[in-house]
Amino acid sequence: MRGRMGRAAVVSAALGVLWWATVRLAWAGVGCEDWGCLAPAVGLVAVISLGLLAASALVLERVGVRPGRRVALSAAGMLVAFRLAGEAMPSWTSSFAHAVTAGVSFAVAGALAAFVTEAGVARRWRVTAVLGVVALVPVALITSLARYGL
C-alpha cells in the first residue's frame, strides 16, 4: 500500500506542477485586465484541468495505481477541498512558492486518494480520511473569520 501511495504522490506532484505552469501560461496568454475575458480564461483553465485529470488517470494506471480513474477522481475532489481551505491561507508573491504549494497539494491529494481507494483499507479509515479532508473547509472558514472578521 505504501508503494502505491508513493507512486500516486509522485505522479500527482508532477502533474500538479505541470498544472500550475500551464494555468499560469494560459492566464498570461489571455492577458486581459477586465471582466470581459474572464469567461474564456476560466474556460481555458477548466479545459487544462480536465485534460490533466484524464492524463493523471492514464499515468496512474501505467505506474500500477489501479483503478487510475477512480484515484484521479478522488484526488480531484480532495484538491477542491484543499483549494477552498487554502483561501484562508496567506498569499505569497513568489512564483516558486506557488509551484511548490501546487506540487505538495497535488501529492497529498494523490496519496490520500490512493489510500481511500485501496481495497485492503478498513472502511472506518477511509471515512476518517475523507471526513478529515472535508473538515478542512469549515475549519479554514472559521480561521479566516476569526482572523479577519466579517
Side-chain angles (χ1 to χ4, degrees):
M1 177 175 60
R2 289 179 194 221
R4 182 176 190 263
M5 288 174 59
R7 289 189 308 271
V10 169
V11 166
S12 297
L15 289 172
V17 173
L18 179 63
W19 175 84
W20 172 82
T22 54
V23 165
R24 188 169 165 90
L25 287 172
W27 277 107
V30 171
C32 67
E33 299 295 327
D34 61 8
W35 288 98
C37 63
L38 184 62
V42 171
L44 186 56
V45 169
V47 167
I48 290 168
S49 299
L50 290 173
L52 280 174
L53 175 66
S56 70
L58 294 173
V59 174
L60 286 167
E61 285 281 340
R62 295 277 297 179
V63 298
V65 180
R66 292 184 178 86
R69 187 177 338 159
R70 197 163 140 211
V71 175
L73 288 172
S74 297
M78 290 180 189
L79 283 167
V80 169
F82 290 169
R83 178 65 184 139
L84 291 173
E87 288 298 318
M89 302 298 290
S91 178
W92 297 289
T93 56
S94 167
S95 293
F96 178 74
H98 287 207
V100 169
T101 302
V104 169
S105 297
F106 274 69
V108 171
L112 280 172
F115 177 77
V116 300
T117 59
E118 176 67 38
V121 175
R123 182 177 172 94
R124 71 176 180 274
W125 290 113
R126 290 180 193 183
V127 170
T128 301
V130 170
L131 289 176
V133 170
V134 171
L136 288 174
V137 177
V139 167
L141 179 62
I142 291 167
T143 303
S144 182
L145 287 173
R147 186 179 317 154
Y148 303 113
L150 290 173

